[in-house]
Amino acid sequence: MNNKFKKVINRIFLFILAMPFGIPLLAPFFIIYGIYLYTFPEGREKLKNYFTIFVECLNLLKTKSGRKELILKMKLFWAGKN
């Protein structure tokens, strides 16, 4: 996929998730996507990576300095500089 297209899709998902009730709106999509990824070995690795990133974000939310670091990571992600 084109990197510019990926950035646009990521920004759309982040925008929807930032809205009230964004998570329930996208939950069916994420469940179907998770099931799809689980059917392939490469997809299982991707799911494992998503889970580790999610757990890392939850751990960063525990402290004030961690929240600052998480906000910085989100800004870099939003700018497309992963």
Side-chain angles (χ1 to χ4, degrees):
M1 251 196 254
N2 188 346
N3 281 340
K4 192 172 185 178
F5 182 69
K6 282 184 181 180
K7 286 181 190 178
V8 170
I9 296 297
N10 285 336
R11 288 178 180 168
I12 289 170
F13 279 121
L14 287 174
F15 178 74
I16 293 172
L17 285 172
M19 294 171 39
F21 301 107
I23 293 173
L25 279 173
L26 291 177
F29 172 77
F30 288 137
I31 291 170
I32 292 170
Y33 183 60
I35 292 170
Y36 170 74
L37 285 178
Y38 191 74
T39 60
F40 302 104
E42 301 88 17
R44 286 187 213 111
E45 287 296 320
K46 192 179 261 192
L47 280 173
K48 184 179 177 185
N49 186 25
Y50 289 157
F51 182 72
T52 55
I53 291 170
F54 178 72
V55 170
E56 180 184 330
C57 290
L58 287 180
N59 289 333
L60 285 174
L61 287 172
K62 293 179 182 177
T63 64
K64 186 176 182 180
S65 62
R67 287 188 292 273
K68 286 182 183 179
E69 184 180 338
L70 185 60
I71 289 172
L72 179 63
K73 284 184 178 187
M74 285 192 285
K75 285 181 181 179
L76 290 174
F77 179 79
W78 187 263
K81 298 178 183 176
N82 298 353

